[in-house]
Amino acid sequence: MTGLAPAKDVPVLITSSVGSSERRINPSWTIAYLKGKLESVTGIPPSAQSLALHSSGKEVIISSEEEHITPIALWPLTAYAELHVTSSDSSAPSAVPPLSSVPKYEMPTETYSSLPDTVLAYKKTHQIGRFNPHAPDLKQQKLDELWKEVEERKIIVGSRCILAPSTTRRGSVAYVGLIPEIPGIGPWVGVRLDEPAGKNDGTVSGKRYFDCEPQYGVFVRPDRVEVGDWRELGLDDDDDLEEI
């Protein structure tokens, strides 16, 4: 005569006021043993725990006057059921306090600057970014290159253009210049599109750079703009259509 096979662990989602986590529970455990395990997960003492099992859309309370001998196999413990743990003691401590209440250490700037093995120290040693003595010259060089591209591409306000790589996004140059509200250096080109294929109405962060209807305006870098005799497309211009 063979004995009964041991019960297999069941994956269950443990939830409480401090969060949720997946744990494996053996149906042969008693309620008292289970509560002892749950204390390290929820921070709620076993004596203050109330257990509610949510399975198949139903809630079942796990409770017994003899928790030390009552196995949880008596309840419908199905895979990935939710076992919600609440506390009957409002003063019970939480195992995981809210992140906002955890004191955070902030290193003083002076202290960080004096440390040898930091990203800041590496940048200083290798003269990267603002620590490069030639940085101002390189920035000006980049700025000059961008303005040169505007000149070489003959990008002036009023010119007809397309936005590469597309040949169907057509419009007219409406603005050429700096836009402090957009990160990066150098000029931007504002284009008033023929069709509502843009992203704005000629404004950036509330500041207007040119007038157009909503979704008819777009700002791009000069390398995206190709000036030429680009007429407005009509309904019969379907050579570039890929779908209807």
Side-chain angles (χ1 to χ4, degrees):
M1 181 176 180
T2 60
L4 294 176
K8 295 183 178 180
D9 290 347
V10 178
V12 174
L13 182 64
I14 307 297
T15 62
S16 68
S17 60
V18 300
S20 62
S21 62
E22 183 182 319
R23 293 289 191 273
R24 302 187 74 83
I25 294 177
N26 195 289
S28 65
W29 292 354
T30 64
I31 297 177
Y33 185 79
L34 172 62
K35 286 186 173 182
K37 291 282 190 180
L38 293 175
E39 181 177 13
S40 62
V41 179
T42 64
I44 304 174
S47 60
Q49 291 180 20
S50 295
L51 308 182
L53 184 64
H54 297 263
S55 179
S56 302
K58 297 181 180 179
E59 178 183 275
V60 181
I61 303 301
I62 297 179
S63 178
S64 173
E65 294 182 356
E66 299 180 320
E67 294 186 346
H68 285 81
I69 61 173
T70 305
I72 56 176
L74 297 178
W75 284 268
L77 195 65
T78 57
Y80 300 106
E82 177 187 344
L83 180 60
H84 188 63
V85 187
T86 56
S87 175
S88 59
D89 182 3
S90 59
S91 63
S94 169
V96 183
L99 186 60
S100 59
S101 67
V102 178
K104 301 174 182 63
Y105 173 72
E106 295 185 5
M107 182 181 294
T109 303
E110 297 78 8
T111 303
Y112 179 73
S113 299
S114 65
L115 296 176
D117 300 319
T118 63
V119 174
L120 182 63
Y122 182 87
K123 287 184 175 181
K124 287 181 178 179
T125 301
H126 294 82
Q127 298 184 334
I128 298 175
R130 59 189 174 94
F131 301 107
N132 185 345
H134 304 293
D137 295 336
L138 294 175
K139 182 177 180 180
Q140 185 60 48
Q141 180 181 343
K142 176 65 175 178
L143 191 59
D144 292 342
E145 290 175 355
L146 289 171
W147 278 112
K148 184 178 180 181
E149 188 163 23
V150 171
E151 183 180 351
E152 291 178 344
R153 288 176 175 269
K154 297 181 173 57
I155 301 174
I156 60 175
V157 173
S159 300
R160 290 289 298 172
C161 66
I162 61 172
L163 301 183
S166 171
T167 59
T168 58
R169 293 186 73 191
R170 304 185 178 190
S172 300
V173 177
Y175 175 82
V176 181
L178 303 179
I179 302 180
E181 294 81 9
I182 302 179
I185 65 171
W188 290 82
V189 180
V191 178
R192 185 184 296 110
L193 298 172
D194 297 336
E195 299 180 353
K199 296 184 177 180
N200 53 62
D201 61 350
T203 63
V204 178
S205 299
K207 183 176 180 180
R208 180 164 297 282
Y209 287 89
F210 62 90
D211 294 318
C212 71
E213 294 296 321
Q215 306 304 313
Y216 276 81
V218 67
F219 293 93
V220 296
R221 285 299 194 180
D223 61 352
R224 291 277 312 281
V225 180
E226 187 174 334
V227 172
D229 188 19
W230 302 102
R231 63 181 178 81
E232 291 189 34
L233 294 176
L235 295 177
D236 296 330
D237 297 300
D238 58 358
D239 293 343
D240 294 320
L241 290 180
E242 296 182 355
E243 59 182 52
I244 297 178

